[in-house]
Each structure stands twice: as structure tokens, then as C-alpha cells.
Amino acid sequence: MAEPSERGTRRTTATGPGRILVAVYGIFALAATSRAAVQISTKWHEAPLAYTLSALAAVIYIVATIALARRGGGSFRLAVAAIGIELLGVLVVGTLSVFDQEAFPDATVWSGYGEGYLFIPLVLPVIGLLWLRRTARR
């Protein structure tokens, strides 16, 4: 019997190595949400831009986790969009935080290209997009 990808349909993104990807995105969703909640509730006045970006990162990680875990073309497109925005965010915020440190008096998940998280926020969307490409409809 032919694999689903050989019949012209997309394999689910949450099978095989995709399960690990979904789990890592889930962990980052939890970490970013927790970080943003603490930052916003305890010291919003210190760095509102950084804390807003932390909250945005949390939302993107949540959306990416759910979209990667679900089947269907709509979920696939949502995952591509969320992970693409994540990569753009990491690159933009990472660059700005390196060159304009005064704008970021406190770190976000994406500051310094994710250096506070072992650069996983920089590598994760690349892996995510490569996995989505691999599971895309042929």
C-alpha cells in the first residue's frame, strides 16, 4: 500500500519526528506564556515593548503547536504562517536587541536570537519549516 504522501495527500505533521517537534513547540509555548505572564504582571512598566514581544512569542508558539498537531490543509497553512512569523520575529527582535539594547532593557524569548534559550528559538522555526516542507503535499 502506498504511503499517503505518495498518493498525493500530505502526511500528518504530528507523526514520527513531528511528534518531537510538536512537543518542543508545546514546551516553548508553556515557557513563553509563563515568562510573559510573570513579566507583564510584575514589572510591565520596566520594559513594555519587550514584555509585549514575549506575549506575542507565546501566542505564536501556542498557534504553531496546535497547527502542527492537527491534520488538514488549513492547519498546515496556519503552521507555515505561524512558524514563518516566528522566524521573522526571531530575526528582527534578535537583530534589534543586539544593535539597540536600550530598546530592550529586559530580555524576550527572541532577544539575542534566543541566546537565553540556547538559540533554540532561532533553530526551531528552521527545523519546523523544513519538516513542513517534507510533509507537504506532493
mmCIF file of all heavy atoms in Angstrom, residues 45-76:
data_model
loop_
_atom_site.group_PDB
_atom_site.id
_atom_site.type_symbol
_atom_site.label_atom_id
_atom_site.label_comp_id
_atom_site.label_asym_id
_atom_site.label_seq_id
_atom_site.Cartn_x
_atom_site.Cartn_y
_atom_site.Cartn_z
ATOM 1 N N HIS A 45 5.977 48.110 33.648
ATOM 2 C CA HIS A 45 6.476 49.482 33.471
ATOM 3 C C HIS A 45 7.964 49.527 33.111
ATOM 4 O O HIS A 45 8.439 50.520 32.575
ATOM 5 C CB HIS A 45 6.218 50.300 34.742
ATOM 6 C CG HIS A 45 6.923 49.755 35.950
ATOM 7 N ND1 HIS A 45 6.451 48.651 36.639
ATOM 8 C CD2 HIS A 45 8.061 50.134 36.552
ATOM 9 C CE1 HIS A 45 7.288 48.395 37.628
ATOM 10 N NE2 HIS A 45 8.270 49.274 37.608
ATOM 11 N N GLU A 46 8.707 48.473 33.384
ATOM 12 C CA GLU A 46 10.148 48.468 33.124
ATOM 13 C C GLU A 46 10.499 48.295 31.643
ATOM 14 O O GLU A 46 11.475 48.876 31.177
ATOM 15 C CB GLU A 46 10.832 47.358 33.929
ATOM 16 C CG GLU A 46 10.786 47.594 35.426
ATOM 17 C CD GLU A 46 11.398 46.443 36.198
ATOM 18 O OE1 GLU A 46 12.172 45.659 35.614
ATOM 19 O OE2 GLU A 46 11.083 46.326 37.400
ATOM 20 N N ALA A 47 9.738 47.475 30.932
ATOM 21 C CA ALA A 47 10.059 47.200 29.527
ATOM 22 C C ALA A 47 8.821 46.708 28.774
ATOM 23 O O ALA A 47 8.738 45.551 28.389
ATOM 24 C CB ALA A 47 11.174 46.164 29.438
ATOM 25 N N PRO A 48 7.857 47.605 28.553
ATOM 26 C CA PRO A 48 6.607 47.163 27.930
ATOM 27 C C PRO A 48 6.795 46.562 26.527
ATOM 28 O O PRO A 48 6.107 45.608 26.177
ATOM 29 C CB PRO A 48 5.742 48.425 27.888
ATOM 30 C CG PRO A 48 6.653 49.561 28.188
ATOM 31 C CD PRO A 48 7.835 49.021 28.903
ATOM 32 N N LEU A 49 7.725 47.085 25.740
ATOM 33 C CA LEU A 49 7.954 46.523 24.408
ATOM 34 C C LEU A 49 8.451 45.087 24.505
ATOM 35 O O LEU A 49 7.932 44.183 23.841
ATOM 36 C CB LEU A 49 8.954 47.375 23.619
ATOM 37 C CG LEU A 49 9.361 46.803 22.249
ATOM 38 C CD1 LEU A 49 8.162 46.682 21.324
ATOM 39 C CD2 LEU A 49 10.454 47.659 21.626
ATOM 40 N N ALA A 50 9.435 44.849 25.337
ATOM 41 C CA ALA A 50 9.988 43.501 25.497
ATOM 42 C C ALA A 50 8.923 42.526 25.999
ATOM 43 O O ALA A 50 8.825 41.399 25.511
ATOM 44 C CB ALA A 50 11.176 43.529 26.451
ATOM 45 N N TYR A 51 8.102 42.968 26.941
ATOM 46 C CA TYR A 51 7.102 42.067 27.514
ATOM 47 C C TYR A 51 5.950 41.819 26.545
ATOM 48 O O TYR A 51 5.381 40.732 26.522
ATOM 49 C CB TYR A 51 6.599 42.611 28.848
ATOM 50 C CG TYR A 51 7.730 42.829 29.832
ATOM 51 C CD1 TYR A 51 7.664 43.812 30.797
ATOM 52 C CD2 TYR A 51 8.894 42.063 29.771
ATOM 53 C CE1 TYR A 51 8.699 44.007 31.701
ATOM 54 C CE2 TYR A 51 9.940 42.265 30.662
ATOM 55 C CZ TYR A 51 9.835 43.238 31.616
ATOM 56 O OH TYR A 51 10.866 43.435 32.497
ATOM 57 N N THR A 52 5.632 42.805 25.735
ATOM 58 C CA THR A 52 4.627 42.598 24.685
ATOM 59 C C THR A 52 5.142 41.590 23.657
ATOM 60 O O THR A 52 4.400 40.721 23.203
ATOM 61 C CB THR A 52 4.288 43.935 23.995
ATOM 62 O OG1 THR A 52 3.768 44.842 24.976
ATOM 63 C CG2 THR A 52 3.270 43.752 22.885
ATOM 64 N N LEU A 53 6.414 41.701 23.310
ATOM 65 C CA LEU A 53 7.005 40.744 22.370
ATOM 66 C C LEU A 53 7.071 39.341 22.971
ATOM 67 O O LEU A 53 6.896 38.350 22.251
ATOM 68 C CB LEU A 53 8.387 41.214 21.931
ATOM 69 C CG LEU A 53 8.382 42.450 21.027
ATOM 70 C CD1 LEU A 53 9.794 42.981 20.823
ATOM 71 C CD2 LEU A 53 7.723 42.142 19.700
ATOM 72 N N SER A 54 7.299 39.235 24.269
ATOM 73 C CA SER A 54 7.259 37.927 24.931
ATOM 74 C C SER A 54 5.859 37.322 24.822
ATOM 75 O O SER A 54 5.707 36.127 24.564
ATOM 76 C CB SER A 54 7.657 38.044 26.403
ATOM 77 O OG SER A 54 9.037 38.245 26.539
ATOM 78 N N ALA A 55 4.838 38.150 25.021
ATOM 79 C CA ALA A 55 3.455 37.671 24.899
ATOM 80 C C ALA A 55 3.142 37.270 23.459
ATOM 81 O O ALA A 55 2.473 36.260 23.220
ATOM 82 C CB ALA A 55 2.482 38.738 25.391
ATOM 83 N N LEU A 56 3.616 38.051 22.495
ATOM 84 C CA LEU A 56 3.426 37.709 21.085
ATOM 85 C C LEU A 56 4.095 36.378 20.759
ATOM 86 O O LEU A 56 3.508 35.523 20.090
ATOM 87 C CB LEU A 56 3.979 38.814 20.184
ATOM 88 C CG LEU A 56 3.929 38.531 18.681
ATOM 89 C CD1 LEU A 56 2.491 38.390 18.196
ATOM 90 C CD2 LEU A 56 4.657 39.632 17.925
ATOM 91 N N ALA A 57 5.310 36.180 21.247
ATOM 92 C CA ALA A 57 6.009 34.911 21.037
ATOM 93 C C ALA A 57 5.199 33.760 21.620
ATOM 94 O O ALA A 57 5.072 32.696 21.001
ATOM 95 C CB ALA A 57 7.401 34.963 21.657
ATOM 96 N N ALA A 58 4.629 33.968 22.798
ATOM 97 C CA ALA A 58 3.817 32.925 23.432
ATOM 98 C C ALA A 58 2.633 32.544 22.555
ATOM 99 O O ALA A 58 2.353 31.359 22.345
ATOM 100 C CB ALA A 58 3.340 33.403 24.802
ATOM 101 N N VAL A 59 1.936 33.540 22.037
ATOM 102 C CA VAL A 59 0.779 33.275 21.172
ATOM 103 C C VAL A 59 1.214 32.517 19.916
ATOM 104 O O VAL A 59 0.556 31.554 19.500
ATOM 105 C CB VAL A 59 0.056 34.593 20.806
ATOM 106 C CG1 VAL A 59 -0.975 34.376 19.714
ATOM 107 C CG2 VAL A 59 -0.583 35.210 22.047
ATOM 108 N N ILE A 60 2.312 32.923 19.326
ATOM 109 C CA ILE A 60 2.794 32.261 18.110
ATOM 110 C C ILE A 60 3.178 30.811 18.407
ATOM 111 O O ILE A 60 2.851 29.905 17.626
ATOM 112 C CB ILE A 60 3.959 33.047 17.490
ATOM 113 C CG1 ILE A 60 3.411 34.364 16.909
ATOM 114 C CG2 ILE A 60 4.679 32.232 16.411
ATOM 115 C CD1 ILE A 60 4.461 35.339 16.459
ATOM 116 N N TYR A 61 3.838 30.561 19.534
ATOM 117 C CA TYR A 61 4.191 29.182 19.892
ATOM 118 C C TYR A 61 2.942 28.338 20.142
ATOM 119 O O TYR A 61 2.897 27.168 19.767
ATOM 120 C CB TYR A 61 5.109 29.151 21.117
ATOM 121 C CG TYR A 61 6.528 29.552 20.823
ATOM 122 C CD1 TYR A 61 7.144 30.566 21.545
ATOM 123 C CD2 TYR A 61 7.264 28.929 19.830
ATOM 124 C CE1 TYR A 61 8.452 30.947 21.287
ATOM 125 C CE2 TYR A 61 8.572 29.299 19.555
ATOM 126 C CZ TYR A 61 9.157 30.307 20.288
ATOM 127 O OH TYR A 61 10.447 30.678 20.024
ATOM 128 N N ILE A 62 1.926 28.914 20.764
ATOM 129 C CA ILE A 62 0.678 28.185 21.004
ATOM 130 C C ILE A 62 0.010 27.836 19.673
ATOM 131 O O ILE A 62 -0.396 26.693 19.446
ATOM 132 C CB ILE A 62 -0.276 29.000 21.903
ATOM 133 C CG1 ILE A 62 0.281 29.084 23.323
ATOM 134 C CG2 ILE A 62 -1.681 28.400 21.911
ATOM 135 C CD1 ILE A 62 -0.410 30.116 24.209
ATOM 136 N N VAL A 63 -0.108 28.810 18.792
ATOM 137 C CA VAL A 63 -0.727 28.577 17.484
ATOM 138 C C VAL A 63 0.058 27.534 16.694
ATOM 139 O O VAL A 63 -0.523 26.616 16.096
ATOM 140 C CB VAL A 63 -0.854 29.899 16.689
ATOM 141 C CG1 VAL A 63 -1.266 29.655 15.249
ATOM 142 C CG2 VAL A 63 -1.842 30.842 17.375
ATOM 143 N N ALA A 64 1.380 27.647 16.687
ATOM 144 C CA ALA A 64 2.208 26.690 15.951
ATOM 145 C C ALA A 64 2.043 25.279 16.515
ATOM 146 O O ALA A 64 1.940 24.312 15.747
ATOM 147 C CB ALA A 64 3.671 27.115 15.990
ATOM 148 N N THR A 65 2.004 25.157 17.830
ATOM 149 C CA THR A 65 1.839 23.840 18.461
ATOM 150 C C THR A 65 0.534 23.195 18.027
ATOM 151 O O THR A 65 0.509 22.034 17.609
ATOM 152 C CB THR A 65 1.868 23.963 20.002
ATOM 153 O OG1 THR A 65 3.096 24.563 20.398
ATOM 154 C CG2 THR A 65 1.712 22.605 20.667
ATOM 155 N N ILE A 66 -0.545 23.935 18.116
ATOM 156 C CA ILE A 66 -1.861 23.407 17.755
ATOM 157 C C ILE A 66 -1.910 23.082 16.264
ATOM 158 O O ILE A 66 -2.393 22.014 15.864
ATOM 159 C CB ILE A 66 -2.974 24.399 18.144
ATOM 160 C CG1 ILE A 66 -3.045 24.499 19.675
ATOM 161 C CG2 ILE A 66 -4.320 23.980 17.568
ATOM 162 C CD1 ILE A 66 -3.882 25.650 20.191
ATOM 163 N N ALA A 67 -1.400 23.977 15.429
ATOM 164 C CA ALA A 67 -1.447 23.757 13.980
ATOM 165 C C ALA A 67 -0.597 22.555 13.572
ATOM 166 O O ALA A 67 -0.997 21.788 12.687
ATOM 167 C CB ALA A 67 -0.978 25.010 13.244
ATOM 168 N N LEU A 68 0.552 22.372 14.194
ATOM 169 C CA LEU A 68 1.395 21.218 13.879
ATOM 170 C C LEU A 68 0.747 19.908 14.324
ATOM 171 O O LEU A 68 0.937 18.866 13.694
ATOM 172 C CB LEU A 68 2.766 21.354 14.544
ATOM 173 C CG LEU A 68 3.733 22.335 13.904
ATOM 174 C CD1 LEU A 68 4.921 22.596 14.837
ATOM 175 C CD2 LEU A 68 4.212 21.841 12.551
ATOM 176 N N ALA A 69 -0.002 19.945 15.401
ATOM 177 C CA ALA A 69 -0.599 18.732 15.954
ATOM 178 C C ALA A 69 -1.853 18.282 15.200
ATOM 179 O O ALA A 69 -2.238 17.123 15.291
ATOM 180 C CB ALA A 69 -0.932 18.948 17.424
ATOM 181 N N ARG A 70 -2.474 19.174 14.455
ATOM 182 C CA ARG A 70 -3.735 18.849 13.772
ATOM 183 C C ARG A 70 -3.513 18.466 12.324
ATOM 184 O O ARG A 70 -2.523 18.831 11.714
ATOM 185 C CB ARG A 70 -4.675 20.047 13.848
ATOM 186 C CG ARG A 70 -5.035 20.387 15.302
ATOM 187 C CD ARG A 70 -6.061 21.430 15.390
ATOM 188 N NE ARG A 70 -7.311 20.891 14.874
ATOM 189 C CZ ARG A 70 -8.330 21.629 14.501
ATOM 190 N NH1 ARG A 70 -8.255 22.924 14.573
ATOM 191 N NH2 ARG A 70 -9.428 21.078 14.058
ATOM 192 N N ARG A 71 -4.466 17.775 11.773
ATOM 193 C CA ARG A 71 -4.448 17.396 10.363
ATOM 194 C C ARG A 71 -5.205 18.423 9.538
ATOM 195 O O ARG A 71 -5.989 19.183 10.055
ATOM 196 C CB ARG A 71 -5.143 16.047 10.160
ATOM 197 C CG ARG A 71 -4.420 14.887 10.754
ATOM 198 C CD ARG A 71 -5.239 13.627 10.511
ATOM 199 N NE ARG A 71 -4.564 12.473 11.050
ATOM 200 C CZ ARG A 71 -3.913 11.593 10.309
ATOM 201 N NH1 ARG A 71 -3.862 11.736 9.007
ATOM 202 N NH2 ARG A 71 -3.318 10.570 10.865
ATOM 203 N N GLY A 72 -4.954 18.400 8.251
ATOM 204 C CA GLY A 72 -5.732 19.216 7.340
ATOM 205 C C GLY A 72 -4.939 20.347 6.720
ATOM 206 O O GLY A 72 -3.955 20.824 7.287
ATOM 207 N N GLY A 73 -5.401 20.732 5.546
ATOM 208 C CA GLY A 73 -4.727 21.793 4.805
ATOM 209 C C GLY A 73 -4.738 23.123 5.525
ATOM 210 O O GLY A 73 -3.767 23.876 5.479
ATOM 211 N N GLY A 74 -5.840 23.423 6.208
ATOM 212 C CA GLY A 74 -5.919 24.679 6.945
ATOM 213 C C GLY A 74 -4.906 24.728 8.079
ATOM 214 O O GLY A 74 -4.244 25.749 8.293
ATOM 215 N N SER A 75 -4.772 23.627 8.788
ATOM 216 C CA SER A 75 -3.787 23.559 9.872
ATOM 217 C C SER A 75 -2.375 23.647 9.324
ATOM 218 O O SER A 75 -1.504 24.284 9.922
ATOM 219 C CB SER A 75 -3.960 22.262 10.666
ATOM 220 O OG SER A 75 -5.166 22.288 11.383
ATOM 221 N N PHE A 76 -2.157 23.013 8.190
ATOM 222 C CA PHE A 76 -0.836 23.050 7.565
ATOM 223 C C PHE A 76 -0.471 24.490 7.197
ATOM 224 O O PHE A 76 0.619 24.970 7.513
ATOM 225 C CB PHE A 76 -0.822 22.159 6.319
ATOM 226 C CG PHE A 76 0.509 22.116 5.633
ATOM 227 C CD1 PHE A 76 1.493 21.247 6.072
ATOM 228 C CD2 PHE A 76 0.780 22.937 4.549
ATOM 229 C CE1 PHE A 76 2.735 21.203 5.443
ATOM 230 C CE2 PHE A 76 2.011 22.899 3.921
ATOM 231 C CZ PHE A 76 2.989 22.033 4.368
#
